Amino acid sequence: LSTVGLEKTLAAALLGVLLLAAVRVRPVLFGVAAGLLALTRLDLVVFALLVLLGRPGLWRGWWRWLLTASAVALPWFTWSWFAFGSAVPDTLVIKQLQRSWGDWDFSNGLWLYHGAFPTAVVVSLLPPLLGLVCLPVLGALRAFRRAVRLWPWALLGAGGVAHHHVYTLLGVPPYHWYYAPGLIGLSLLLAGVLGAVWWELSL
């Protein structure tokens, strides 16, 4: 899931910070995390948007996270606009121009990797798939005001699903690191559920 030298390890750490901000409802920390996610990869903002939609408590201090995120991210995007002629990275454009590798694009690319590395792909997908199973269960429990403490983890899992969906719509090539944010979000959800289960069993 992580390619040495690329930004996915940093993205995982920042999603952890975003989760902390969501759990404790800390608008300034949320703004820092959202701004750093935007600087790391612009598409990671999808996670911040999902957390905002599902965590209304953050809106009570909306100006704090908005100002903080702007202070973190806007200096770079402004400088990039004047220095490079674009506020967004060129990779955002490259994604849309490359389209696919013949018959393989993001939507079916995991089957390509499964054909070459079946064991590695199955082991890599097991945690996020279990997290995906947990997502509707937590959604149903949330509707009955149960498992409320796990809701921020569910939002990160939903962010992973949304990120995967956005990349599928873009029809980008199936570079293996493109799958990492979705897998990280759902794996964090699974970790939260396992932690909650362990806590209940140990009481």
Side-chain angles (χ1 to χ4, degrees):
L1 295 183
S2 61
T3 300
V4 176
L6 291 179
E7 71 285 352
K8 298 311 177 190
T9 304
L10 175 60
L14 292 175
L15 288 176
V17 176
L18 191 75
L19 175 61
L20 176 63
V23 169
R24 296 191 176 178
V25 192
R26 293 175 57 182
V28 172
L29 184 61
F30 176 85
V32 170
L36 291 175
L37 283 169
L39 291 175
T40 302
R41 282 190 77 92
L42 203 53
D43 48 84
L44 294 173
V45 174
V46 169
F47 287 90
L49 293 176
L50 259 292
V51 170
L52 274 179
L53 288 174
R55 204 69 172 151
L58 287 167
W59 284 96
R60 286 195 292 269
W62 65 270
W63 58 272
R64 288 186 284 173
W65 57 254
L66 182 61
L67 288 177
T68 305
S70 299
V72 170
L74 281 183
W76 166 258
F77 289 124
T78 302
W79 186 82
S80 177
W81 176 268
F82 290 104
F84 302 131
S86 174
V88 299
D90 55 4
T91 53
L92 193 63
V93 179
I94 292 171
K95 280 186 181 72
Q96 296 171 326
L97 293 178
Q98 284 184 311
R99 303 307 298 171
S100 62
W101 300 341
D103 294 331
W104 302 103
D105 63 13
F106 187 83
S107 65
N108 61 5
L110 287 174
W111 290 108
L112 172 65
Y113 292 115
H114 183 267
F117 313 105
T119 303
V121 169
V122 169
V123 171
S124 297
L125 289 180
L126 192 57
L129 286 176
L130 290 173
L132 187 61
V133 171
C134 294
L135 189 56
V137 175
L138 288 179
L141 290 174
R142 171 73 174 181
F144 294 99
R145 299 190 180 279
R146 302 291 299 274
V148 174
R149 286 186 296 178
L150 280 174
W151 187 239
W153 278 264
L155 293 174
L156 277 194
V161 173
H163 187 277
H164 188 94
H165 183 63
V166 168
Y167 267 54
T168 299
L169 291 177
L170 289 174
V172 295
Y175 293 113
H176 66 276
W177 57 88
Y178 284 3
Y179 295 95
L183 302 185
I184 291 168
L186 287 167
S187 296
L188 285 172
L189 167 56
L190 177 65
V193 170
L194 291 177
V197 170
W198 177 262
W199 175 263
E200 291 295 329
L201 293 176
S202 64
L203 291 178

